[in-house]
């Protein structure tokens, strides 16, 4: 299992983390009795959006940085882009570890079970604008262009999913009204950052429906742009 498998949601990791088994998020099988006995796949061959495995990615990253990930995000990204001080990134009551003699909370990657990032629309827009400009803010390259190129490339198991939370639009299948190069970041409740470099366009939506609502919104905005 490699970092790329965790980022592309293709690790098929099996286990329990913070009291939550891997099958707890979007379980497979016809009955609850089937859930713990799911088929095992070779890493990289099967895509499944799974918050337990994203939590594993967060924990692994914590051991690399050796400091709380909210501090890393704040120092490396949120402060340089001028984000507010109101956003919060939470883990769970039991997701604490001892790291270098200190108690540190491992944050969660998704909004399931009470964790995740809580953030306002203005901060989401600034975060999205950073990627509209290929990781550059003013004169500072905050995120590697090489990393962004990998993140916006679909994997072999799912061409519509890049690195963690990069939803792509090959063949304009997900968003028929948008260009193929459009990208979305999506969070629980369907809070969305839409990034469209072809039209130099950034859209932030909050609590939009899970159906065709986003595609309709994008179509209306693009139709309103000057030729």
């Amino acid at each position: 299992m490699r970092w790329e498998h965790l980022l592309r949601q293709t690790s098929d990791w099996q286990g329990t983390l913070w009291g939550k088994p891997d099958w707890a998020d979007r379980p497979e099988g016809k009955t609850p009795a089937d859930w713990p006995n799911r088929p095992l796949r070779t890493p990289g061959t099967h895509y499944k959006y799974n918050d337990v495995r994203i939590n594993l990615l967060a924990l692994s990253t914590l051991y690399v940085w050796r400091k709380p990930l909210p501090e890393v995000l704040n120092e490396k990204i949120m402060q340089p882009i001028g984000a507010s001080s109101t956003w919060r990134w939470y883990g769970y009551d039991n997701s604490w570890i001892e790291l270098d003699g200190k108690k540190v909370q491992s944050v969660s990657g998704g909004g399931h079970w009470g964790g995740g990032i809580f953030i306002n629309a203005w901060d989401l827009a600034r975060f999205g604008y950073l990627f509209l400009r290929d990781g550059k803010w003013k004169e500072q390259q905050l995120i590697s262009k090489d990393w962004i190129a990998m993140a916006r490339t679909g994997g072999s198991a799912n061409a519509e999913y890049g690195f963690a939370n990069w939803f792509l639009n090959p063949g304009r299948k997900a968003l028929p009204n948008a260009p193929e190069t459009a990208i979305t970041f999506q969070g629980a409740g369907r809070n969305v950052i839409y990034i469209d470099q072809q039209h130099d366009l950034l859209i932030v939506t909050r609590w939009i429906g899970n159906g065709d609502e986003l595609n309709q919104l994008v179509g209306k905005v693009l139709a309103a742009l000057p030729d």
Side-chain angles (χ1 to χ4, degrees):
M1 187 174 67
R2 303 170 65 90
W3 285 103
E4 183 167 351
H5 299 145
L6 288 169
L7 286 164
R8 294 195 184 280
Q9 302 261 33
T10 61
S11 71
D12 209 51
W13 177 82
Q14 184 182 43
T16 298
L17 182 62
W18 316 132
K20 299 163 181 64
D22 63 277
W23 52 261
D25 188 18
R26 301 167 179 86
E28 301 175 60
K30 295 181 179 180
T31 68
D34 298 328
W35 296 348
N37 303 309
R38 63 177 182 80
L40 300 179
R41 291 97 167 187
T42 302
T45 63
H46 177 76
Y47 166 85
K48 183 189 176 186
Y49 195 96
N50 184 281
D51 276 353
V52 177
R53 296 183 190 126
I54 289 294
N55 291 343
L56 176 64
L57 173 61
L59 176 62
S60 302
T61 307
L62 171 60
Y63 276 115
V64 171
W65 279 99
R66 309 203 73 77
K67 63 192 302 185
L69 296 189
E71 291 184 13
V72 176
L73 178 62
N74 188 48
E75 294 170 6
K76 301 294 184 179
I77 303 296
M78 303 306 270
Q79 286 189 10
I81 68 174
S84 75
S85 61
T86 63
W87 64 273
R88 296 291 183 270
W89 192 0
Y90 297 110
Y92 312 123
D93 290 344
N94 65 341
S95 62
W96 291 82
I97 64 169
E98 185 170 316
L99 186 65
D100 300 329
K102 297 180 180 180
K103 290 290 185 181
V104 178
Q105 188 179 41
S106 182
V107 291
S108 73
H112 288 183
W113 308 299
I117 288 183
F118 294 76
I119 186 170
N120 64 44
W122 179 252
D123 287 344
L124 283 178
R126 298 180 83 82
F127 186 79
Y129 191 83
L130 173 65
F131 291 97
L132 185 67
R133 293 291 178 260
D134 283 327
K136 188 174 183 179
W137 192 270
K138 297 181 179 179
E139 300 304 317
Q140 189 176 5
Q141 191 72 40
L142 299 180
I143 299 179
S144 162
K145 288 186 177 181
D146 291 338
W147 188 92
I148 292 176
M150 291 186 291
R152 67 184 304 144
T153 302
S156 58
N158 185 355
E160 296 181 44
Y161 193 82
F163 280 178
N165 209 34
W166 285 64
F167 291 89
L168 314 178
N169 197 35
R172 301 171 67 185
K173 181 179 177 181
L175 295 171
N177 288 331
E180 283 197 76
T181 54
I183 297 165
T184 57
F185 303 153
Q186 302 188 28
R190 217 183 184 204
N191 297 289
V192 180
I193 302 173
Y194 170 85
I195 300 169
D196 184 344
Q197 290 183 324
Q198 181 174 323
H199 295 97
D200 196 24
L201 176 65
L202 173 74
I203 302 173
V204 172
T205 71
R206 306 303 297 262
W207 308 107
I208 196 167
N210 289 318
D212 194 49
E213 291 87 348
L214 180 61
N215 182 56
Q216 292 180 33
L217 173 65
V218 169
K220 290 177 180 179
V221 172
L222 292 181
L225 295 178
D227 295 331

